[in-house]
Amino acid sequence: MSVTVVTYGTFDLFHVGHIRLLKRLRAMGDRLVVGLSTDSFNELKGKNVVIPFADRKEILLSCRYVDDVFEENTWEQKRDDLIREKADIFAIGDDWAGKFDELEDIVKVLYLPRTKDISTTELKTVMREINEEKVREAKNVATHLVDLLGKL
Ligand code: CTP
């Protein structure tokens, strides 16, 4: 019998932590379906996404471990999704440990260990720091130029 695995997430700034999770999920069954948070649902969750939904979807569908993607628009839709997709397993990173246990009556619920030292939030922080450094450099150059012009 074919086994369907369903997971959810934002998958913004796609990174190796995402890949490793999807690879492990796909290895648990024959079909991996991702409920991908829409831009408006991310807004509701207080997440500021960099990559828009259509692009995040395209990236996920290009990943060899992902068979299909549907929209995640609400917190409450999971039970209906799992029934529609004929899911056998609901699995997600262990940052969500215990949060979806109530779905145990229709699927096996699993929480997988996250990959250490990488997250979208961390990537955004690094990018912000690089940007701030560039602004500091530009300001230094401008100050230097003003000094030079003052000496003319
Ligand atoms: N994930 C993982 N290992 C990581 C980062 C994410 O296994 N290092 C998993 C999450 O547990 C989740 C899925 O990937 O099941 C999608 O997570 P998402 O929240 O989109 O990614 P994060 O990098 O955790 O983003 P953020 O920092 O915005 O929470």
Side-chain angles (χ1 to χ4, degrees), residues 3-9 25 28 32-33 35 70 72 75 77-79 81-82 86-93 96-104 106-112:
V3 172
T4 294
V5 182
V6 171
T7 193
Y8 290 83
L25 295 179
M28 289 175 180
L32 173 60
V33 187
F70 61 81
E72 183 192 30
W75 291 112
Q77 71 184 67
K78 291 192 179 63
R79 186 168 289 271
D81 294 340
L82 294 169
K86 297 185 173 50
D88 302 283
I89 300 173
F90 169 99
I92 195 159
W96 293 99
K99 293 276 175 9
F100 302 109
D101 291 353
E102 81 275 6
L103 298 167
E104 285 277 10
I106 53 167
V107 283
K108 190 196 253 190
V109 178
L110 298 172
Y111 305 100
L112 276 63

Side-chain angles (χ1 to χ4, degrees), residues 10-11 15 17-18 21 47 92-93 95 114-115 118-121:
T10 299
F11 299 94
H15 58 68
H18 295 148
L21 177 87
K47 262 195 183 182
I92 195 159
D95 39 329
R114 284 168 64 94
T115 300
I118 179 106
S119 72
T120 301
T121 305

